[in-house]
Amino acid sequence: MEAELTALAATAVTALTGLMVTESWEQAKLRLARWFRRRGGDENVQGELEAAGEELAHAREDGDVRAAGRVEERLRERLLGVLQDDAEAAGELARLISELAPDAPVTYVSSVSGGTHHGPSFQGAHIHGDITFTVPAPVSVSAGTRPRPNQLPARTYTFVNRDEQIHELSQAFPAARAGSDRVDLVVVSGVSGVGKTATALRFAETVQDRYPDGQFYVSLAGLRDQSARTPVVGRDTIDLGEALAICLSALGVGENDIPRTIEARTNELRSWTAGRRILLVLDDVTEPAHVRALIPQGPGSGVLVTSHRTLGELVARDDATPVSLKPLDDHGGLALLAHMCPRAVDADRVAAGQLVKLCGGLPIALRIVAARLRTEEGLTTAELVEELSDETDRLAGLSLPTEELSVSTALGPSYRLLPPDAARLYRLLGWLPTGRFDAGVASVAADVDTRVVKRLLRVLAGAGLVQREADGRYVMHDLIRLHARECADREEPATGEAELIGRVGTHYLVLSAFADRAIKKKRKRIADLSVLLREANDPFAAPGGPAPLIWLDTERAAILGVLRAASRHGRHTLVWQLAEAFTALFFHRRYLEIWREALELGAQAAAADPDRMAGEAAEARLRSLLSRPLMDLDRHDEARTQLEQALRLAETVDDLVLRASVLEFQGRYLDRHDPENAVAAYRHSLALNEQAGETRGAAIARAFLGSALSADGDHTEALAVLRRAHHDLLADEEPDVRMAARALAAIGLVRDRLGDTQEADRDLKEAVGILRERDAMHYAAEALVGLADIAQRTGAGTDVVRDHLAEALEIYERDGNPVAGELHGRIQELDAAEGPETDHRGPR
């Protein structure tokens, strides 16, 4: 009897420790605790079981076999103690294990269980891929007469969208149509919740006539729940024997005739499918080995696999055709939402479109929001948009009240199957303040070598968790990023996010500073980054390196995200230094709102910098720069406030060039509101620059002074001053061709006021050409308006006027500049004067 009790305790431990790492453990824990307390006492047994479950989960996550063994040994001793003290406990434990884990590998002898066999016996087997499967012994059930197999799950919904993918799948299964001697194998991959199963089943419905011997369906997710209870990190285990039994049973094999071993069942399946043409849908596959044993023998048959992963091994070794399923585009997402919840879409189509964007085109997310709109009384589309717009609550909002269906739950399997190093990278990418990044950024985020991170990114791409774009960058879907962040918040150290933002922020600071210096070597800068840059490689100076302005433009959303995140984490010095370097972009590309926010974050950070000397200088510089986008946005009062603060701060700093620069920006404000005092501000700026020996700063101040003099009515002196400025800008040791072109445009405008229209037109056209070449389209727009004025006044023709205005309008609209409204009105006036047939949208 002692041997039987020991065997029972051992097999019970195997079943129970398997349950500890599943969702069934909560219920099992309560029932097992009652079993331990059957004779009273052991009040704390439930707490002990809970602690044992947590200890086992950590041990398996860390791959610590010894720690897991200690948990199992303690549980075995506890079970054996009860079994030895209570004669009736064995039968009750046997029944309990049979109910909690009906597929557990347990055989109970009659001397223990009173002659009752409480569970099926199992036989272990190994097949290719180092995966262990378990095979339950057959139950005697007569096969009977069976119809043509059609095991596809019934569809309770109308399938919409995916026409292109259905056609692609149809082309990927040629064998059934061509009488081929091969079996088609196709893998549909994509992120969880993207609609792989629905698409695969819809395709299978459309090709039933190609497979006269039946369509078979096996959900490996369902078999995964019944599989061995000792998971391997990064590796999935299923009950392959049961999958084979399902197929054999559908083919008409009586259960008494189904072989016991994996190898025998595989051979039996091949024999039964030889000469038959069938379609087998294998849903939610995670390992290539799960597929190979199930491939039918019959020529012209097909196997359609769905997986979170690309299963590249099947492509390489078995010539599988890969089909990647992406989230729906805006049109497709709106169509799905309209089908599921037409009233909500009809009531507010704009809000519905925003909802589709917030769901990122994931069908699972769209189905959840549709369910909420249909079941939550009074909830409007606009209210749901407002709720989901907050990233911190979005995943919570994308779940149903019972939490049985949620985006987080859908993404769970993809994450849990990742190897530990890839899982860590996934979590850390969730903390990135951008969903678009290159391998260098990922390497810095994870603090690992770039070669290592590229390998890990391939793993994540294979799991559908990131997507590699044509330019080599990677994209992480917003909802996936939020899930990754959720995992990081739960599993990474508390200081992890702040440390990552520091690393990534410094990475972007170095690159932005190099880009800034590549665009203009000589420029007023507060931050002393000489040590930081000396220790880094300049990619923009390397042969074939990226164009600095294009790089800044491409990365602008990421850099703004870094500024926001670093600001939240109190990285004040990093924020203002990055904001200063980032400004190089906006001297060429007027993304006004982004520029405004970046400078506001920088100025606030500079004000909070503990190093007050550097902080005050930086704050003065950034607040003076901030006046520019504020003025272009017609927020003049705010611009004046920023300049007043900048002037006060600049007076406290021993830096003549900084004071000259702030006065120059003050002059730009006064140009709009007080031209006479603008002249005085520019003269003061010019004097300070000359005193400091700053030739470029003096030339720039002189250029603005010339325009201010002309605005104040002194066109003759203005022309002389502008000519000197134009000369000095080109004669500098680092010629400023772009600023010289702006001075040339100003010369053209002054000449026009002096009546020299022909020369004015020539100067403005030359300036526009140079500014186009220098990618300074904002300033080219000003010159184009000047050319339109001359053309309109001299009667050059409505078409010429409209062409100049339309080009300038396009630039101002792209930049978000309010001047666009004024130009649009002028074009409408031209069209009205010409008649109703004129196309007012631009040049004819």
Side-chain angles (χ1 to χ4, degrees), residues 288-602:
H290 298 167
V291 176
R292 292 195 180 97
L294 292 162
I295 295 177
Q297 180 70 26
S301 293
V303 179
L304 177 56
V305 175
T306 73
S307 178
H308 306 311
R309 302 166 53 195
T310 53
L311 301 181
E313 187 178 324
L314 289 179
V315 177
R317 295 186 55 183
D318 302 278
D319 199 23
T321 301
V323 174
S324 178
L325 209 59
K326 301 292 189 295
L328 298 170
D329 59 19
D330 290 348
H331 176 76
L334 192 61
L336 179 58
L337 187 61
H339 175 76
M340 293 185 294
C341 194
R343 285 182 296 180
V345 175
D346 292 341
D348 193 340
R349 199 167 186 85
V350 173
Q354 293 173 311
L355 203 55
V356 170
K357 290 182 182 297
L358 289 169
C359 290
L362 275 183
I364 182 68
L366 289 165
R367 290 188 175 279
I368 289 170
V369 298
R372 289 192 58 188
L373 288 169
R374 293 171 64 182
T375 59
E376 295 181 26
E377 188 174 352
L379 179 65
T380 68
T381 311
E383 289 171 342
L384 190 51
V385 166
E386 183 178 0
E387 176 188 336
L388 298 180
S389 293
D390 184 354
E391 278 196 350
T392 58
D393 294 328
R394 191 175 303 165
L395 284 182
L398 291 173
S399 63
L400 298 183
T402 61
E403 297 187 1
E404 293 176 358
L405 181 63
S406 70
V407 171
S408 290
T409 302
L411 292 172
S414 295
Y415 169 62
R416 287 194 296 271
L417 289 171
L418 292 174
D421 50 359
R424 175 179 177 269
L425 177 61
Y426 175 74
R427 294 192 297 270
L428 296 180
L429 292 178
W431 274 338
L432 274 184
T434 174
R436 192 168 186 268
F437 51 88
D438 58 25
V441 172
S443 173
V444 172
D447 200 17
V448 298
D449 183 80
T450 304
R451 289 173 298 179
V452 173
V453 92
K454 285 182 177 179
R455 174 180 61 79
L456 298 179
L457 285 168
R458 287 197 296 271
V459 175
L460 296 183
L465 296 172
V466 298
Q467 179 181 337
R468 193 172 190 269
E469 296 195 317
D471 63 0
R473 285 178 168 83
Y474 294 84
V475 174
M476 181 176 262
H477 188 287
D478 281 348
L479 295 182
I480 296 175
R481 183 167 56 87
L482 292 177
H483 177 263
R485 182 186 301 174
E486 187 179 77
C487 295
D489 290 342
R490 183 175 61 246
E491 301 177 40
E492 291 295 318
T495 59
E497 183 177 9
E499 293 168 356
L500 179 145
I501 293 301
R503 293 193 302 271
V504 172
T506 302
H507 173 79
Y508 273 109
L509 172 59
V510 169
L511 291 177
S512 298
F514 276 136
D516 174 25
R517 285 154 177 77
I519 294 168
K520 176 60 66 178
K521 184 176 180 180
K522 188 179 179 183
R523 195 200 306 278
K524 177 60 183 174
R525 299 180 180 93
I526 304 300
D528 181 4
L529 303 177
S530 54
V531 175
L532 189 64
L533 299 185
R534 189 164 54 243
E535 297 173 349
N537 294 320
D538 183 357
F540 306 104
L549 189 59
I550 293 175
W551 181 86
L552 282 170
D553 199 354
T554 301
E555 296 290 344
R556 67 182 185 276
I559 294 173
L560 182 61
V562 169
L563 285 169
R564 291 168 176 166
S567 180
R568 287 196 304 271
H569 287 282
R571 301 296 297 262
H572 304 305
T573 303
L574 172 61
V575 171
W576 73 252
Q577 290 179 342
L578 180 55
E580 182 185 42
F582 192 25
T583 295
L585 170 66
F586 306 106
F587 290 143
H588 298 265
R589 309 278 173 86
R590 290 300 180 100
Y591 303 113
L592 295 176
E593 285 293 350
I594 298 177
W595 192 14
R596 176 197 59 76
E597 184 180 353
L599 289 171
E600 284 181 352
L601 290 169

Side-chain angles (χ1 to χ4, degrees), residues 11-34:
T11 50
V13 166
T14 301
L16 293 172
T17 53
L19 285 171
M20 283 180 179
V21 292
T22 70
E23 295 177 357
S24 303
W25 176 236
E26 285 302 313
Q27 178 189 4
K29 180 174 59 182
L30 295 174
R31 297 186 63 185
L32 186 61
R34 286 197 295 270

Side-chain angles (χ1 to χ4, degrees), residues 29-101:
K29 180 174 59 182
L30 295 174
R31 297 186 63 185
L32 186 61
R34 286 197 295 270
W35 181 83
F36 273 116
R37 292 196 296 264
R38 61 196 309 278
R39 289 290 182 93
D42 286 325
E43 293 298 329
N44 193 39
V45 66
Q46 188 170 334
E48 293 178 13
L49 290 171
E50 184 172 347
E54 292 176 358
E55 184 179 349
L56 182 64
H58 288 307
R60 288 181 173 173
E61 182 179 347
D62 297 338
D64 191 339
V65 177
R66 291 185 179 179
R70 288 194 294 271
V71 176
E72 294 172 358
E73 183 58 31
R74 287 199 304 271
L75 181 58
R76 185 181 297 108
E77 290 176 359
R78 291 279 274 136
L79 289 168
L80 191 56
V82 175
L83 291 171
Q84 290 171 338
D85 292 342
D86 185 350
E88 298 178 1
E92 187 172 333
L93 179 61
R95 286 190 293 274
L96 179 62
I97 297 302
S98 271
E99 293 170 5
L100 293 176

